[in-house]
Structure formats: C-alpha cells, structure tokens
Amino acid sequence: MKTVTVNIVTPDGPVYDSEVSMVVAKTTSGEIGVLAGHIPTVAPLAIGAVKLKKADGSTELAAVSGGFIEVRPDKISILAPSAEVASTIDIARAKEALARAEERVQKQKTDNIDFKRADLSLKRALNRINVHQGNI
C-alpha cells in the first residue's frame, strides 16, 4: 500500500510527522479522506479529530482546533492554531477546560459574555477529551 508523508504544524512548532496510508479530517464542508497520490487540494478544517491510518493497520488520532489541510500527491500538511496527538493530551487539563467552558456558556445567559467564543472553547475541550479517549 502506498504511503504519504503527513505533518501537522502549529504556531508552536511541529506536532506530527510520519508516513501514513490514509488521512481522514473534518473540513468545514464535511469529512475528507485522502490517500497517496490525491489531487492537490486545500480545505479549511473544523474543530475535530484527524485520523491517521498507518500502513500496518493501526490508527493514530490528533485533535485539531481548525486551520487548513493542504494536500499534494506526495505530502499532506495540516496547519492548525493548536493540535495535539491523542497520546500527548493532558486529560486532566482538558477536563478543567471543559468545566470552564461549560460555566462560561451558562453565564452567557445572564452576563454579557461572548457566546461564540465560549462555544468554541467548549467544542475544543470536548474534541480533546474525545480524541484522547478514542471516542470519535
């Protein structure tokens, strides 16, 4: 099976760099599956999990908080504001972020808090927890 190099990069530096047989990512217009040799494509990413299927049949997961996926026949680059591979997610920190986000969403009903910002925080926290637990 053919493989393609995938790298995930954030402003803080590289998060992932490996050969995979398939990448599945959630774009703003739906899910995209990419194999080696795919036509060049650029798409905006939604907050979600990126599935990285290895040639040996194993799958790795990464949580991304938006950004872009750039596909070339021999390389796939994911540029994201933040991203974490499932094995590196600090689950306690993610659960604390979820609790804070839920509190902000509830406060929005009575205070003048930016609901969209609170909702995005909630989605990012849930995504990190789900990716860590493999619930995607």
Side-chain angles (χ1 to χ4, degrees), residues 1-131:
M1 176 174 278
K2 284 186 169 183
T3 61
V4 61
T5 301
V6 175
N7 58 35
I8 300 174
V9 181
T10 70
D12 295 328
V15 173
Y16 184 87
D17 188 5
S18 187
E19 293 284 323
V20 302
S21 59
M22 183 176 187
V23 174
V24 178
K26 184 179 176 185
T27 70
T28 56
S29 60
E31 207 168 62
I32 183 174
V34 182
L35 299 168
H38 195 283
I39 63 168
T41 305
V42 174
L45 293 173
I47 295 171
V50 175
K51 297 176 200 167
L52 304 151
K53 298 184 180 186
K54 305 286 257 175
D56 65 5
S58 65
T59 300
E60 293 180 296
L61 299 173
V64 297
S65 61
F68 291 90
I69 183 169
E70 178 191 15
V71 178
R72 288 180 277 163
D74 62 337
K75 186 175 186 180
I76 299 169
S77 297
I78 295 174
L79 309 169
S82 66
E84 294 174 272
V85 176
S87 61
T88 65
I89 293 173
D90 181 343
I91 193 67
R93 191 172 141 251
K95 287 180 178 179
E96 289 170 9
L98 176 63
R100 284 191 309 272
E102 287 173 336
E103 183 180 322
R104 279 194 300 260
V105 168
Q106 291 302 316
K107 277 187 177 181
Q108 192 277 332
K109 295 174 184 171
T110 57
D111 297 345
N112 190 18
I113 293 176
D114 184 358
F115 179 76
K116 183 164 177 80
R117 188 171 158 214
D119 186 51
L120 287 172
S121 293
L122 182 67
K123 288 178 181 175
R124 284 191 301 267
L126 282 171
N127 181 50
R128 291 175 66 227
I129 292 168
N130 288 335
V131 166

